[in-house]
Amino acid sequence: MGKSDSIWAKIDLKSSPEKFYGFFRNHLGDLVDLFPENYKSIQLVEGQHFSGGTVVQFKFQFGFGHQLRVEKWAIRAVDDVKKYIIYEAVEGDVLKQFKVLRVKVEAVHGGSTKVGGGNFTKWTVEFEKANENVASPQNYLELFVKISKGVDAYFSNN
């Protein structure tokens, strides 16, 4: 059994955590319109609704060379109270590099009384490399930071 690891990023939100979470909960396909340079299509391929067990196929470009990727990700958990969603890669070239690649996006009320308080989103990428020569999935985290800032800006301006 290999060693699991994780990387994460915290992004401050100007918009409300409810709006931000609601976008990823109910309007994930709109990433194609907001980020056409990255997302080519997003389709529900298994399941009726956006819930645990649903499988979503992403066609997207990112990273070195902007190669087109086609990956299927299963939704492992959705928590509307705590405002988080967990995805896990289940098909695609990414599984040649990682035995496990799991992503958690959560929207958090930071509160105004905390030092450095305020609303934020946190993306956590858990992974197990297929071998020691594989780099950490930093390119995924960078994409998630980019789309978080874009979605937040969209809600801040609308």
Side-chain angles (χ1 to χ4, degrees), residues 22-87:
F23 177 87
F24 288 94
R25 175 75 167 92
N26 302 307
H27 301 285
L28 190 64
D30 290 350
L31 287 173
V32 174
D33 297 324
L34 289 174
F35 302 95
E37 71 279 9
N38 294 105
Y39 290 96
K40 304 309 173 193
S41 72
I42 298 172
Q43 296 179 296
L44 206 62
V45 292
E46 287 180 34
Q48 296 281 326
H49 303 284
F50 192 86
S51 58
T54 299
V55 176
V56 181
Q57 179 177 278
F58 295 87
K59 287 185 183 177
F60 62 105
Q61 293 176 291
F62 78 116
F64 183 74
H66 287 336
Q67 71 271 26
L68 182 65
R69 294 175 162 266
V70 179
E71 297 176 1
K72 290 183 182 175
W73 290 70
I75 298 168
R76 296 296 185 213
V78 176
D79 189 318
D80 291 334
V81 175
K82 294 181 180 176
K83 294 182 210 55
Y84 72 77
I85 303 167
I86 299 173
Y87 303 88

Side-chain angles (χ1 to χ4, degrees), residues 86-146:
I86 299 173
Y87 303 88
E88 185 172 346
V90 294
E91 189 177 303
D93 286 342
V94 69
L95 294 178
K96 293 176 184 173
Q97 298 172 299
F98 300 97
K99 293 179 184 175
V100 175
L101 186 61
R102 195 173 297 123
V103 176
K104 179 179 183 181
V105 56
E106 55 190 315
V108 180
H109 277 285
S112 57
T113 59
K114 293 182 180 180
V115 175
N119 301 325
F120 63 92
T121 184
K122 182 178 178 186
W123 289 85
T124 305
V125 181
E126 295 177 36
F127 59 95
E128 184 180 332
K129 297 177 181 180
N131 63 63
E132 65 275 355
N133 298 325
V134 173
S136 72
Q138 190 67 36
N139 51 356
Y140 281 89
L141 193 59
E142 290 169 7
L143 177 63
F144 301 145
V145 168
K146 175 186 175 179

